[in-house]
Amino acid sequence: MTAHNLYFMDSNILLHAIGDDLHKQPIAERLLRSPDAIISTQVLNEFCNVVFRKKLMTDDELLSSIKFFQKYFAIIDLESHLVIDALTIKNRHQYSYWDSLIIATALKSNVDILYSEDMHHTHVIDNKLTILNPFL
């Protein structure tokens, strides 16, 4: 059974919510306000990595953001079988390994939509998951 209201978000959605792009920020914030959003530990790690690298927040602000994500989103932990799934997706669809791992985790989450600005808009994976760029 597919969770038709649930969707998976890539880390770029979280990052645009704290950014200053007047077009992308409100769209990202709207997606983050929904109780239907799912992310993964990979998404949290990518978010932290960019925040650290670009100095987008203080350590306390980052900790507060991660606690917010934990409180409001379902978070999928990465499991070893997802690595195999990601490699299969990478070979079949020519995405990077890290994007393929996001796709594999979204498929595991049994959602219909993966929001990401970094992948092919409207691409359907395994007749189950549609990748959408919410900023177009």
Side-chain angles (χ1 to χ4, degrees), residues 6-15 17 27-44 46-47 68-69 72-76 102-103 105-106 109 111 113-117 119 129 132 134-135:
L6 298 176
Y7 54 85
F8 197 95
M9 292 186 299
D10 196 352
S11 58
N12 50 56
I13 308 301
L14 280 62
L15 289 161
I27 294 167
E29 286 179 344
R30 180 178 48 81
L31 289 172
L32 265 65
R33 281 194 297 266
S34 171
D36 299 324
I38 297 175
I39 60 175
S40 68
T41 52
Q42 176 189 354
V43 169
L44 290 177
E46 289 178 3
F47 178 81
F68 171 85
F69 299 149
Y72 291 104
F73 301 144
I75 300 175
I76 305 299
I102 292 282
I103 293 167
T105 309
S109 303
V111 298
I113 296 172
L114 163 58
Y115 286 114
S116 176
E117 80 172 333
M119 298 182 213
L129 179 70
L132 297 177
F135 307 118

